[in-house]
């Protein structure tokens, strides 16, 4: 296996941590960004205890200049980015008639505009080296919509539009671009949903439980393999059967 450098945005979060761990175990060098230094230090300590080395770069994915600097810092510290996972994401749930502009823009900036900010500085290098793997972490709610998530569903659906356009533009350059759309996974983000609402959601999942972060990471890792070079523009739903649209 060729060792690559992987950049996972939002690597300190629930699904992000599992992706970092899985790509590291596959033999890659792994980098992530952070915004909160104290949280990042505690997280890194946990990774060190597991024997995982992670290159940590301070950057807000909403800031294009910071993302350009992040790509350069990762390249200096562990080599040019061959694998990019656009994973950083937030929710600001509210029914649309109560949603304010800040709730809209924070979500669209962090989930969707960040894909531009982070991918733009690394794609030229991937094209020049004729190898790349880009994976967007979207959501079941970008596919089916969700009461209280007009901002999030719009951004997450937009991420797959980004995927399928980049997939076409870069297919001849050795770069695959795919989307993973997780359903409700047991992370802080889902645990923040009011309990009675969450229980109703779980009742609608055919497999009968929330997902585990490592179940999402497994699929991300699959897309980054050499053997997956003919898979591009796909949107893989991993949701316990919660939504089976096609
Ligand atoms: N379908 C239909 N009606 C719904 C509904 C639904 N899914 N959810 C709530 N309602 C109804 C309620 O029954 C209530 O009706 P009444 O006024 O007639 O009683 C009305 O909408 C208002 O509901 P709330 O009192 O809950 O209103 P609120 O303003 O306090 O909260 C909300 C609304 C923010 C949408 C809240 O219900 C909520 O947090 N829902 C969960 C949203 C969700 O699933 N978020 C996913 C987060 S995790 C994630 O995003 C990760 C991922 O990718 C999967």
């Amino acid at each position: 296996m060729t060792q690559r450098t992987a950049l996972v945005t939002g690597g300190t979060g629930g699904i992000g941590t599992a992706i970092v761990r899985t790509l590291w175990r596959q033999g890659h060098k792994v980098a992530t960004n952070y915004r909160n230094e104290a949280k990042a230090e505690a997280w890194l300590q946990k990774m060190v205890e597991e024997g995982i080395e992670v290159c940590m770069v301070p950057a807000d994915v909403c800031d294009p200049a910071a993302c350009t600097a992040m790509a350069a810092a990762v390249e200096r510290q562990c080599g040019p980015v061959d694998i990019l996972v656009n994973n950083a994401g937030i929710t600001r749930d509210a029914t649309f008639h109560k949603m304010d502009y800040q709730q809209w823009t924070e979500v669209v900036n962090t989930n969707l505009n960040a894909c531009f900010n982070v991918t733009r500085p690394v794609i030229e290098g991937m094209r020049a080296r004729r190898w790349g793997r880009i994976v967007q972490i979207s959501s079941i709610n970008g596919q089916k919509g969700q009461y209280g998530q007009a901002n999030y569903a719009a951004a997450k659906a937009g991420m797959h539009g980004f995927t399928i356009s980049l997939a076409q533009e870069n297919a001849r350059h050795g770069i695959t671009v795919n989307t993973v759309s997780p359903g409700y996974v047991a992370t802080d983000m889902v645990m923040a949903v009011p309990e009675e609402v969450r229980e109703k959601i779980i009742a609608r999942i055919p497999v009968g439980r929330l997902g585990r972060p490592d179940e999402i990471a497994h699929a991300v890792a699959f897309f980054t393999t050499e053997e997956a070079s003919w898979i591009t523009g796909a949107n893989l739903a991993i949701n316990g059967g919660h939504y089976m649209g096609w």
Side-chain angles (χ1 to χ4, degrees):
M1 193 217 76
T2 309
Q3 184 181 51
R4 311 272 182 188
T5 296
L7 171 60
V8 181
T9 65
T12 61
I15 290 177
T17 302
I19 297 171
V20 165
R21 205 179 263 136
T22 304
L23 292 178
W24 166 265
R25 287 185 187 147
Q26 275 201 330
H28 300 301
K29 295 184 200 167
V30 187
T32 189
N33 69 303
Y34 67 91
R35 282 184 310 162
N36 178 322
E37 190 152 353
K39 187 183 165 199
E41 262 175 34
W43 179 84
L44 186 61
Q45 183 57 34
K46 214 173 66 188
M47 292 296 106
V48 169
E49 283 161 17
E50 290 183 30
I52 300 172
E53 281 169 41
V54 188
C55 165
M56 304 278 289
V57 180
D60 180 346
V61 293
C62 299
D63 177 347
C67 291
T68 302
M70 167 172 69
V74 172
E75 177 158 357
R76 272 196 311 278
Q77 292 174 44
C78 39
V81 175
D82 284 327
I83 298 170
L84 170 63
V85 185
N86 281 310
N87 166 73
I90 59 165
T91 54
R92 296 286 182 266
D93 293 356
T95 44
F96 185 68
H97 60 277
K98 292 184 195 164
M99 189 179 289
D100 62 30
Y101 183 69
Q102 192 176 349
Q103 289 169 316
W104 175 267
T105 48
E106 279 182 7
V107 167
V108 173
N109 279 338
T110 309
N111 296 280
L112 179 60
N113 291 340
C115 291
F116 173 85
N117 299 339
V118 181
T119 310
R120 185 64 186 83
V122 302
I123 196 139
E124 288 183 60
M126 289 181 181
R127 287 169 66 100
R129 294 187 301 280
R130 303 198 63 77
W131 201 93
R133 295 285 184 267
I134 300 174
V135 181
Q136 268 64 252
I137 306 301
S138 179
S139 166
I140 184 177
N141 293 342
Q143 299 178 292
K144 70 167 184 54
Q146 170 60 42
Y147 196 104
Q149 286 200 309
N151 50 1
Y152 186 83
K156 290 299 192 182
M159 287 174 80
H160 188 57
F162 176 74
T163 289
I164 54 185
S165 301
L166 255 64
Q168 293 177 31
E169 292 178 11
N170 295 287
R172 298 286 173 95
H173 299 267
I175 303 169
T176 70
V177 191
N178 292 288
T179 297
V180 169
S181 290
Y184 285 74
V185 177
T187 61
D188 291 347
M189 184 185 274
V190 167
M191 291 331 227
V193 172
E195 196 182 345
E196 67 283 6
V197 177
R198 200 171 60 239
E199 289 308 321
K200 284 188 196 149
I201 291 168
I202 295 171
R204 287 199 297 268
I205 303 175
V207 172
R209 62 167 174 85
L210 295 173
R212 293 192 314 266
D214 62 282
E215 291 173 315
I216 308 305
H218 176 70
V220 174
F222 165 70
F223 278 131
T224 68
T225 57
E226 214 61 60
E227 293 77 6
S229 62
W230 212 51
I231 306 174
T232 195
N235 186 358
L236 181 57
I238 310 175
N239 59 35
H242 191 167
Y243 179 71
M244 301 183 186
W246 57 288

